[in-house]
Structure formats: structure tokens, C-alpha cells
Amino acid sequence: MSKLTQTSVQFLKGVGPARKKILENLGVQSVEDLLYLFPRRYEDRSKMTLLSQVKIGEFQTVSGKVIARGSRQSWFTRKHVYETVIDDGTGRIFGVWFNQPYLDNYFQPGTEVVLYGQAALYKNRIQMISPEYEIIDKSDKSLSMGRIVPIYPLTKGISQRYLRKIIHNCIATYSSDLIDTLPVATRNKHRLLNINESLENIHFPENQIKQEEAQRRISFEEFLFFHLSIIKRRMNVLAQPGTQHVVDEKFRAKFKSCFPFSFTNAQKRVMEEIVGDMRKASPMLRLLQGDVGCGKTVVALMGCLAAIENKKQSVFMAPTEILARQHFENIKKILENSEFQNIHCSLLVGSLPENEKIELRKKIKTGTIDLLIGTHALLSEDVRFKDLSYVVIDEQHKFGVRQRAFISQKGLNPDVLVMTATPIPRTLSLTLFGDLDVSTIDELPPGRGKIGTKVLPLEKAPNVYAFIRDEVAKGRQVYIIYPLVDESEALDLKAAQTSFKHFEKNEFKGLKVGLVHGQMKRDDADAVMQKFKKGEIQILVATSVLEVGVDVPNATVMVIEHAERFGLAQLHQLRGRIGRGSKESFCFLLSDPVTPEAIARLKAIVSTTDGFKIAEADLMIRGPGQYFGRHQHGLNELRFANPLLQIDILQLARLEAEDLTQADPELNDPKNQNFKEIIQKRYPDYLTMATAG
Ligand code: ADP
Ligand code: MG
């Protein structure tokens, strides 16, 4: 592969200095880059839709000759409108574009063109608005017509035709120089195409089956290297000497006595797993997943205290200040009046005054502080520990793998526990957390009441308010949530504020109503929350700030107004605020959903309270790209393969990577030398980070 990596595309016919510059915008510099510039989709032009058979409302590809063209000014929008009429002998279609007067240069009458777009009926004519277009030139017709045609990502100054031509040319010229990254044995074992056939069929598929096989092979390769790098990282970390903690029965009894309840079986099992890791010399790399309220914090805290018993320090990192504070307050309360009351526990967050931070840092460095809770402020260069041996990272999906490695560097290969309350579909966790052992708490503490969930149209609100009055009369408390998509959306805020005032004077007159939202001063918001906790507020009107961590077992009713505007995960987190006591709870989603996605979301949230099922549904509804945002390691490190759509290939590649590293951990066997070089090239970060954490 190395020769192709070093050969500039400029050596290709048809690529001069100007075009070379433009290709750079597509990330293409070398011949190899060009070969790996894959189509974003395909058009099957072997069976083109006849213009007489165009289906209104559908996206389709049509072709024909330009028989007329012209432009006008829209009297309505004053935009420049350019129109062409295309005829294929069976019918006609109009192509319409706005504000693109230069198009006139392309659509000369008699020119053969292909259009791809959505057909619409407009004033008795069939048209496509702003379709993708392509001029068919006789000289390159074989690449653009009568076959499955690749459609590439474009950039200004480059056409599909041009890309097809140079890529076709590139394959022909350099295919004999391609070195297959996958050994024959591996290819045979998994029935994978060789690299030449794959690249040919990724770009210019012989047929759809070949295209799919090519895609499978290329994805497998990419997954394989990804998994190899992750497994290598894991092996490197585990090879480092960490802390061998002593965790004895006396400590366990002491820990147990901190709580008025007994642990669930799931909690006990996971604690055993953590203790097992902590006792080993090699560092712990563990993911702890479990739904909201299942009792993860307690389990994570056990490790912190065990480390401190061993005269070490520990860290508890949360993604936001609110969460960090909440953990801090909870943990402080647990430690108070327990046998651990002498433990020094502090909070480090960005908003702390500088002089306090300086003071705190000193204490961290001298080891006066045993347990440090905080946000990513913990990651700051000048936070140094005396002897950090145990790290908890809450809500890992908000931190990247790099941050995870970074915090680990603050100790000598500390044990790391990553926690997530966003259940991750199994297949995905393999990609996101493939270097971690997984522990799952799949059981809620006993005695939690059931939650009934109902979607009601907005007009039923009065009935819900009447129900609320009854519940409050029985001594229960209530949340009423308003959407606040973006904190700056003044309008939404007004909805909560206006309703609050309205409720006080009307529906809930005489009852104690409170308001909390994200734009309040923190102290004010805290004061309101405290009042709600103490029962001095009966009905709390809130925006989605409530999503994180409040724990009021007496709150048994939640109303979510405009529920269609919340994401599924968000609805699940919000609803997790009720059903914390032993009484039955009720969640009302007031909504008149219109979009299919919103309807699907509400259906999902009504049908189950199981976070894992909700996560799967979320994934299905939102599709691959949006589920985890763009920064997820593993999702954006993969250029071509898609872990969400190619689960079977992902797993196959994982097994292969495990087999390979088991047989040859260092990948030193000459036949694996290739693998080693490639992962060093593609994932250098993973390997260097590994030695640190
Ligand atoms: P998570 O972090 O998983 O959301 P927490 O650890 O905050 O859950 O626990 C939620 C609530 O349940 C807390 O009030 C906690 O004290 C309580 N809790 C935890 N484990 C148990 C248990 N085994 N039995 C009863 N209550 C528990
Ligand atoms: Mg250890």
C-alpha cells in the first residue's frame, strides 16, 4: 500500500495542479486517498425510469434530451428561476432551479442529461425542483449510463463525470500495485473479496450483489483494524503495573453499615466484579451500565472508599457541575455519621473562586484530600495527586476516550470505572467501549412503585390538573415539565413562567406551587429544589433542567407538556424522577404529535420503562448518525463502516481480531506485520495513550 500512499494524484492523467488543489478539499492527496474516496450512493441507470412512468412524490433517476430551456423572475419570491424541459421519447419533465443563472451554459438543446430528484405535479406538468443533474457526454457514456453508477461527494469545481473518469483511470493504472491488507486465509475464512475486486466493485459495481460484497469486505477490514487497535490498547494498559488493593471483610461490613437498605443482587454481583479487579495488580478497565436509579453511585463509591482504606486517593468525575454537586452532596451525607466520617472529601468545579482552587490543589497534592469529586476541571494540568488509584467517570458518553486516558495519567495506572445511565445497545457498546469489561446492573432496588404512562391530547389538560389536585390532597407531590430545547429560547421559558403564574391563580389556587428553570441563579434554583424536597412545595413547574438527578420519593406525578418536543432519552430520564418511592406513579404526556418520529417516540415511552428497550427504540427512530452525536470515538474514527448498520460484520471482525491477538499478542508474526503497521498508522493515538492509561 505504501507506494500508493506516496504517489500524488497529480501523476494521474487529467489531474493538473489546479485540480489537485480542488481534490484536496475532498481529502484526496495520494492515489490511495482517491481509491478510498467512496461513492455516497449509487444510481442504477441500467433500468432508468421512463418519463411516461415517473412516480409523483418519489425520488428517482430519469434521463432524456434537453428540448427547451429558459429563465424568468418569480413574481412571488423575486428569485431567478431557471427551467429546462427534458424529453425521452415517452414523456417530458421540467427541471427547475433557483438563483443559478449559470446553468444555462450546461443545458444546450439536444444535450443528453440525467436528473435525480423528487417528482412533483405542478400546474399540470411534472417537474423536479433542484434535482441533481448530470450532462452525459458520448466519450464517457460507458461510465455514466446503462450501469450502476457511483455518485461521489463533490466539491466546487469538480463534477461526477470527472471524478468517475479519474477514479476509473486510477483503478486501471494502479490495481497491480495494490497490496491486500487481509491475508488469503482470513479472506477465505470469511468469504471476503480481495482488495482489487472490492475496489472495482465499490466504484463501478458489476451488479448489486457484487457491490454489497465489496462493501462487506471493506467494512470488515476497517472494523478489524479498529478492533485490533482497541484490543492492543487494552492489552497495553493491562500490562502496566497498577495498585493491588486490599479489600477485606471488615471493610465490606463497614461499607454495608453506611446504608439503611441492603444491596440488590445486581449491585452485589457488580461490587464483586469491581473488588476482583481492584485486588489484581493490573489496572481495572470497566464499564458500569445501568438505568437511572438502579444504584450505580453506591457501587462506584464502594471502590472509592476501598482505595482510601488502602491509603490512596480517588476521583469521581461528572459531566456537569449540577451532577458533580449532587454527587458531592449525596456522598457527603452518606459519609457523615458513618465509620467513614474522617474521610476528606472535596468538590472541584470550574466556578470555584481561584484562591479556593489553589488551596484545594495543594491539599490534593499533599494527599490531605482523599476523595475528589468534580467536573472536567479535574483534568486541568495543575491538578496533581499524591497517589491516585481509583477513578470513576460518570456518563462516559459525554467524555471522549482521550479524556478518559488523560485522567488516568494523573495516577499510576489507576483502576478506572466508567459509568453510564444511558443504556447502550450491546452491539454499540462493543464499538464505543470495546476496551472495557462490562458490568450491568439490571435490577432496580425493591419497593419501587409502578409507573403508568399515558399520552393525552392537549385538550385533556383540565382532567390531568384535576387528577393532580386529588393526588396533592393525598399528600403527594407533582412535577410539571415544559420543553426548553435551548436555554436561550426565551419563548419556551415564558411558557413555564406564564403557566406557573396561571396555575397559582387558577387551577392550583391555594396550593404551594414552585418554579425552577435553567436561567435562575444556582442558589435560587437550589433553594426551590430544597423546598420541594422538604415538601414545602407541592407542585413544581420546571423546564427540562430537571432531567438530572433529583431524588424525591414522594413525587408521584409528572406531567410533560408538549412531550413531542423531547427526545426519547430525555423523556426516559425525566420520567425516572418519579416512581422512586413505594407508591404508584403517573406520567402524563400532553401532546398532539404530528411527525411520525414524535409519534414513534411517544409510543416507545408508553410501552416500556426499561431503559435498554428505550435505547434500542431510540436508535431505530433516530437512525445511526444522530444517536450518539458526532464526537463518539469509534463512530467517527470509522470512515466507511457503520457499526449501527453492519452489526454482523462488526461482530465477525471483533472475533477475528480476538483470534489474531490471542495467537500473536504482539502481532510480531511476519504474516501479521502488515496489521501492526496499519494500526500504527491509523490509530497512533490509541497506542500511545495506552501506555499512559
Ligand atoms: P443511579 O446512580 O444508578 O441513578 P443512585 O445510586 O443514585 O442510582 O440510586 C438512586 C437511589 O436509590 C438513591 O436514593 C439510593 O440511595 C437508592 N438506592 C441505591 N441502592 C439501593 C438499594 N439497594 N435499595 C434501596 N435503595 C437504594
Ligand atoms: Mg488494580
Side-chain angles (χ1 to χ4, degrees):
M1 184 73 39
S2 62
K3 180 177 169 200
L4 303 185
T5 319
Q6 276 143 35
T7 312
S8 162
V9 280
Q10 217 179 321
F11 291 97
L12 285 168
K13 208 173 120 204
V15 185
R19 286 277 170 65
K20 175 178 179 278
K21 267 254 137 51
I22 297 176
L23 283 169
E24 273 171 20
N25 294 337
L26 291 171
V28 172
Q29 291 178 329
S30 69
V31 163
E32 187 198 30
D33 296 336
L34 189 62
L35 289 172
Y36 279 80
L37 178 72
F38 294 145
R40 62 182 164 81
R41 62 181 182 88
Y42 300 88
E43 275 178 17
D44 189 350
R45 294 185 185 169
S46 60
K47 32 181 193 253
M48 200 85 82
T49 308
L50 292 178
L51 284 175
S52 58
Q53 284 164 19
V54 163
K55 291 197 187 73
I56 301 301
E58 286 184 17
F59 281 86
Q60 58 219 295
T61 314
V62 298
S63 73
K65 281 202 169 77
V66 177
I67 56 167
R69 70 204 217 270
S71 53
R72 58 185 169 85
Q73 183 108 22
S74 161
W75 60 269
F76 183 55
T77 58
R78 322 210 59 190
K79 278 183 189 165
H80 176 273
V81 184
Y82 183 74
E83 295 182 321
T84 62
V85 184
I86 315 289
D87 189 307
D88 72 349
T90 73
R92 285 179 185 181
I93 194 165
F94 283 69
V96 181
W97 291 266
F98 299 104
N99 290 334
Q100 299 185 48
Y102 58 87
L103 286 177
D104 204 41
N105 301 330
Y106 299 113
F107 294 100
Q108 307 286 335
T111 308
E112 198 177 340
V113 298
V114 171
L115 301 183
Y116 170 78
Q118 190 181 23
L121 203 55
Y122 175 74
K123 286 185 183 164
N124 276 335
R125 67 185 211 194
I126 298 172
Q127 66 177 29
M128 284 183 179
I129 306 258
S130 307
E132 288 181 30
Y133 63 90
E134 198 178 309
I135 311 299
I136 303 301
D137 192 287
K138 294 226 163 35
S139 68
D140 53 27
K141 205 165 166 174
S142 62
L143 294 184
S144 300
M145 294 301 281
R147 55 153 49 243
I148 298 177
V149 175
I151 309 292
Y152 294 100
L154 290 184
T155 184
K156 211 171 164 211
I158 275 191
S159 66
Q160 292 294 348
R161 256 164 86 190
Y162 174 75
L163 269 180
R164 267 177 225 139
K165 206 147 72 180
I166 60 169
I167 289 173
H168 192 261
N169 188 349
C170 188
I171 294 173
T173 316
Y174 290 99
S175 67
S176 55
D177 294 323
L178 281 169
I179 298 165
D180 207 317
T181 47
L182 297 179
V184 186
T186 310
R187 291 200 313 261
N188 287 346
K189 186 162 137 203
H190 301 294
R191 284 174 292 113
L192 299 166
L193 298 184
N194 68 31
I195 189 66
N196 292 65
E197 211 176 348
S198 303
L199 286 179
E200 276 160 30
N201 281 286
I202 273 287
H203 291 288
F204 300 101
E206 253 175 80
N207 52 45
Q208 200 189 328
I209 292 172
K210 269 284 164 62
Q211 186 272 329
E212 281 164 15
E213 281 182 24
Q215 191 165 337
R216 182 166 171 273
R217 139 81 211 222
I218 305 266
S219 299
F220 179 93
E221 174 183 317
E222 196 171 16
F223 282 139
L224 178 67
F225 291 121
F226 178 73
H227 284 311
L228 279 175
S229 72
I230 291 241
I231 292 171
K232 279 300 285 173
R233 170 183 144 78
R234 178 181 161 80
M235 293 194 325
N236 290 353
V237 173
L238 294 185
Q240 306 290 315
T243 303
Q244 221 166 338
H245 297 94
V246 175
V247 188
D248 57 20
E249 284 315 310
K250 203 172 130 233
F251 165 78
R252 290 169 175 233
K254 218 161 90 178
F255 182 69
K256 222 172 127 187
S257 70
C258 291
F259 303 95
F261 46 75
S262 46
F263 302 130
T264 63
N265 285 330
Q267 281 173 317
K268 285 185 201 155
R269 188 186 68 235
V270 170
M271 282 194 225
E272 277 318 303
E273 289 165 352
I274 294 172
V275 166
D277 284 352
M278 290 185 79
R279 284 176 172 159
K280 282 187 206 150
S282 58
M284 170 167 81
L285 281 172
R286 189 168 286 281
L287 172 71
L288 169 54
Q289 54 176 355
D291 217 340
V292 252
C294 71
K296 293 184 296 299
T297 314
V298 169
V299 169
L301 180 65
M302 187 275 304
C304 295
L305 301 183
I308 294 164
E309 282 281 287
N310 283 263
K311 306 268 180 289
K312 307 279 176 187
Q313 290 168 292
S314 63
V315 145
F316 201 124
M317 184 161 86
T320 65
E321 240 182 89
I322 302 183
L323 271 176
R325 264 173 211 288
Q326 210 148 55
H327 280 314
F328 177 64
E329 254 127 54
N330 275 341
I331 290 172
K332 231 174 40 185
K333 212 175 293 153
I334 294 170
L335 300 183
E336 253 168 32
N337 306 320
S338 80
E339 291 188 56
F340 296 103
Q341 59 185 335
N342 294 329
I343 284 180
H344 293 277
C345 176
S346 282
L347 178 72
L348 176 58
V349 289
S351 67
L352 224 56
E354 194 53 35
N355 57 339
E356 282 183 37
K357 277 191 200 156
I358 294 173
E359 197 55 32
L360 203 52
R361 277 186 219 128
K362 267 190 214 145
K363 291 187 181 165
I364 298 166
K365 201 172 166 200
T366 54
T368 312
I369 287 170
D370 305 303
L371 172 55
L372 185 64
I373 299 167
T375 55
H376 52 271
L378 294 173
L379 295 174
S380 162
E381 199 64 53
D382 38 15
V383 176
R384 296 205 183 89
F385 292 82
K386 181 160 178 259
D387 195 353
L388 175 68
S389 76
Y390 181 87
V391 173
V392 180
I393 307 177
D394 194 12
E395 292 296 333
Q396 151 73 13
H397 63 281
K398 298 196 173 144
F399 295 110
V401 73
R402 287 180 179 79
Q403 279 160 311
R404 203 208 298 166
F406 199 67
I407 182 97
S408 297
Q409 286 176 35
K410 295 190 172 288
L412 231 116
N413 307 306
D415 290 339
V416 177
L417 184 70
V418 167
M419 297 204 294
T420 176
T422 309
I424 301 152
R426 280 181 58 84
T427 45
L428 200 57
S429 70
L430 205 57
T431 324
L432 293 172
F433 305 114
D435 58 336
L436 304 178
D437 294 309
V438 180
S439 291
T440 306
I441 302 185
D442 49 7
E443 184 185 355
L444 288 177
R448 299 247 169 115
K450 270 217 217 72
I451 305 179
T453 306
K454 256 203 177 105
V455 180
L456 293 172
L458 296 174
E459 66 187 44
K460 290 278 190 219
N463 303 20
V464 174
Y465 300 148
F467 181 83
I468 289 177
R469 287 192 294 270
D470 289 349
E471 287 297 296
V472 170
K474 288 190 216 157
R476 316 265 196 276
Q477 287 167 282
V478 177
Y479 297 109
I480 302 180
I481 314 286
Y482 286 84
L484 186 66
V485 178
D486 172 344
E487 300 225 337
S488 64
E489 261 181 68
L491 218 118
D492 291 323
L493 185 56
K494 225 172 115 206
Q497 269 166 339
T498 318
S499 301
F500 164 66
K501 286 194 189 123
H502 182 81
F503 284 148
E504 269 194 317
K505 293 204 195 91
N506 298 281
E507 281 86 353
F508 305 133
K509 198 168 169 190
L511 302 180
K512 286 169 274 179
V513 187
L515 172 71
V516 66
H517 59 76
Q519 286 173 358
M520 277 163 89
K521 282 215 194 82
R522 224 207 59 242
D523 288 348
D524 296 345
D526 280 355
V528 174
M529 289 311 306
Q530 281 311 322
K531 274 189 169 173
F532 188 68
K533 251 185 186 166
K534 288 190 207 142
E536 291 163 16
I537 289 174
Q538 296 164 306
I539 300 170
L540 184 62
V541 177
T543 58
S544 49
V545 289
L546 214 69
E547 202 181 331
V548 286
V550 284
D551 196 15
V552 182
N554 190 47
T556 56
V557 182
M558 175 171 284
V559 180
I560 304 182
E561 308 251 358
H562 290 288
E564 76 282 356
R565 291 180 54 184
F566 292 88
L568 197 44
Q570 209 180 6
L571 287 172
H572 177 63
Q573 295 287 333
L574 281 169
R575 186 176 54 182
R577 303 294 129 223
I578 56 171
R580 301 197 146 228
S582 55
K583 311 255 169 31
E584 187 178 3
S585 290
F586 307 91
C587 179
F588 298 102
L589 308 169
L590 290 178
S591 171
D592 293 307
V594 281
T595 67
E597 287 83 19
I599 293 168
R601 283 200 298 273
L602 296 181
K603 228 181 183 162
I605 196 84
V606 168
S607 71
T608 181
T609 49
D610 180 331
F612 282 88
K613 287 195 186 127
I614 285 174
E616 305 266 2
D618 201 13
L619 192 55
M620 295 292 283
I621 296 167
R622 281 204 276 173
Q626 290 173 27
Y627 183 75
F628 264 106
R630 300 227 62 206
H631 333 283
Q632 286 312 311
H633 97 274
L635 292 186
N636 65 348
E637 246 112 340
L638 294 165
R639 288 190 302 176
F640 181 67
N642 185 331
L644 301 173
L645 298 178
Q646 300 174 303
I647 287 160
D648 48 335
I649 312 175
L650 171 85
Q651 277 168 334
L652 202 63
R654 173 75 186 197
L655 292 177
E656 182 71 17
E658 283 170 4
D659 283 355
L660 279 166
T661 43
Q662 204 147 42
D664 179 18
E666 292 303 316
L667 298 176
N668 281 337
D669 191 318
K671 73 175 196 295
N672 293 333
Q673 200 54 39
N674 203 7
F675 291 142
K676 199 168 176 171
E677 273 170 30
I678 291 169
I679 61 173
Q680 262 157 3
K681 191 179 132 205
R682 289 197 200 166
Y683 303 99
D685 276 14
Y686 281 38
L687 301 180
T688 48
M689 283 187 323
T691 48

